[in-house]
Amino acid sequence: MYSIYHFFSSIVLQKHLLREVKRLDQFPFDKKLLSCKNNGVFPDLAIRLNKDRKIFTGGELIELKDSNSYTVSSFNSTIPSKSKKIEDIITGESSIIKQQMETAGNDIFSLPTRDVFYLVRGRKGGDIKVCLVYGSFFETIAIENLIRQSFSQVLEERLKESEKEISEELKQTLLSIFSKQENFSKVRNVEKASVKLRFRIMTEVKAEGNILNLKKYPEIKNNTLNLVLPCCNDEEEKDILKKSEMVFGKRAMKQFGIFKIKHHFNGYFLVFQTTL
């Protein structure tokens, strides 16, 4: 079986190496669990799909975030999210990701929407924190709404500076056009221009969304490895504990401190914590 739980379990078995590898992508991830591995292209890693998906679907996408501080490194081009459509990632027959997943024996489009996780490592002095965290820790409002409100701020600033006014209808039309990243992230070819223009989004994590921040999330201690999963109610907690026990086993479960943390914008998350 393949799942984010199995992936985390494989990291736990070699957790001492998280201190040793210079770059997170140098960690010896268990290849048997992976359908693809890339450098500099989202996703950095993807879990294989299960044929029987009654308990675990598999197919999770993982981005590596490495930092020489206790700040989550910025997200370049790809806005962090809790899930992504596989059709938005695999855009052609020549896609390297597609080729890797097919070689792994996956029926790629049989699971069209994939959960997204971020493996975050921060180092400060001689200390280290590592968290495998579900994307909803960073996506606390819908991406389209995030972009729309950001452009709304730009529009309001420019209107104020120019002392001009536009109707509310025109304003909403303009904002709706720029509510999707793909609408403006393509390379634009302008006649007689000797360069092409492409707008890129860089996303930086606020303190409230920085799981490495000791003041905001003191439960995430120095020199620990953590699995962080959304947990909104008792039923979700029971399901998470049931799945984790299936993967780790009752005896191995004792190595984890298991507790909840409250996100400043997005409810509760269940944490499995082990020392490094």
Side-chain angles (χ1 to χ4, degrees):
M1 296 295 287
Y2 311 111
S3 73
I4 202 67
Y5 295 90
H6 294 85
F7 178 75
F8 183 70
S9 178
S10 71
I11 295 177
V12 171
L13 293 175
Q14 303 183 86
K15 61 183 182 179
H16 64 283
L17 295 176
L18 290 167
R19 284 184 170 277
E20 299 175 13
V21 294
K22 291 184 178 180
R23 300 197 318 269
L24 199 49
D25 61 7
Q26 294 175 333
F27 185 88
F29 298 107
D30 188 348
K31 294 180 180 179
K32 296 191 298 294
L33 295 173
L34 302 177
S35 63
C36 78
K37 186 176 188 296
N38 301 287
N39 289 320
V41 178
F42 182 88
D44 293 309
L45 307 169
I47 307 296
R48 291 175 185 261
L49 287 171
N50 292 304
K51 292 182 179 179
D52 180 357
R53 300 175 192 163
K54 291 180 181 178
I55 301 175
F56 301 107
T57 63
E60 295 93 341
L61 309 176
I62 302 164
E63 183 170 352
L64 307 180
K65 305 300 297 177
D66 213 2
S67 175
N68 289 319
S69 69
Y70 277 170
T71 301
V72 179
S73 58
S74 60
F75 299 82
N76 298 323
S77 298
T78 303
I79 300 173
S81 62
K82 62 184 178 182
S83 64
K84 289 189 182 295
K85 293 181 179 179
I86 198 69
E87 65 181 15
D88 293 337
I89 297 168
I90 297 174
T91 55
E93 289 297 319
S94 61
S95 166
I96 295 175
I97 297 170
K98 181 177 186 292
Q99 293 172 12
Q100 290 181 7
M101 288 183 172
E102 287 179 342
T103 300
N106 282 181
D107 181 3
I108 301 170
F109 296 101
S110 63
L111 187 65
T113 301
R114 308 294 186 88
D115 287 335
V116 179
F117 284 80
Y118 298 87
L119 183 59
V120 178
R121 181 175 72 165
R123 288 169 287 183
K124 188 175 183 180
D127 294 318
I128 181 175
K129 295 182 184 182
V130 184
C131 297
L132 180 59
V133 56
Y134 185 56
S136 62
F137 203 90
F138 303 117
E139 186 190 359
T140 55
I141 66 172
I143 289 176
E144 288 189 10
N145 194 16
L146 173 65
I147 297 173
R148 186 186 184 96
Q149 290 193 43
S150 297
F151 272 105
S152 178
Q153 292 176 14
V154 175
L155 183 58
E156 291 294 343
E157 288 171 6
R158 290 299 298 129
L159 288 173
K160 186 176 181 180
E161 289 172 4
S162 63
E163 297 183 344
K164 294 181 179 179
E165 294 183 3
I166 60 173
S167 67
E168 185 64 24
E169 182 180 359
L170 177 56
K171 177 183 174 181
Q172 295 305 320
T173 299
L174 291 172
L175 293 177
S176 67
I177 292 172
F178 291 104
S179 64
K180 294 185 178 181
Q181 185 180 355
E182 57 266 28
N183 289 341
F184 57 89
S185 61
K186 296 178 181 178
V187 175
R188 301 298 175 179
N189 190 3
V190 177
E191 187 178 355
K192 294 185 179 181
S194 60
V195 295
K196 296 178 181 179
L197 191 62
R198 179 186 178 190
F199 294 96
R200 298 182 66 191
I201 285 181
M202 179 178 286
T203 312
E204 298 180 358
V205 175
K206 292 181 179 180
E208 293 85 353
N210 180 8
I211 195 165
L212 305 177
N213 188 308
L214 182 61
K215 291 182 179 180
K216 297 297 182 181
Y217 300 101
E219 304 91 342
I220 307 301
K221 300 186 181 303
N222 284 335
N223 306 310
T224 60
L225 169 63
N226 305 268
L227 174 62
V228 186
L229 301 167
C231 186
C232 299
N233 52 56
D234 291 341
E235 288 302 313
E236 280 194 359
E237 183 175 356
K238 289 178 182 177
D239 184 59
I240 292 170
L241 292 173
K242 179 182 177 181
K243 288 178 178 177
S244 59
E245 191 172 296
M246 289 176 64
V247 175
F248 303 127
K250 287 185 178 181
R251 183 175 296 179
M253 284 280 284
K254 295 179 181 179
Q255 71 182 295
F256 298 113
I258 303 174
F259 53 88
K260 287 182 181 179
I261 59 173
K262 189 177 188 304
H263 193 288
H264 291 269
F265 301 134
N266 213 21
Y268 286 92
F269 286 74
L270 191 65
V271 179
F272 294 76
Q273 184 176 90
T274 183
T275 57
L276 289 172

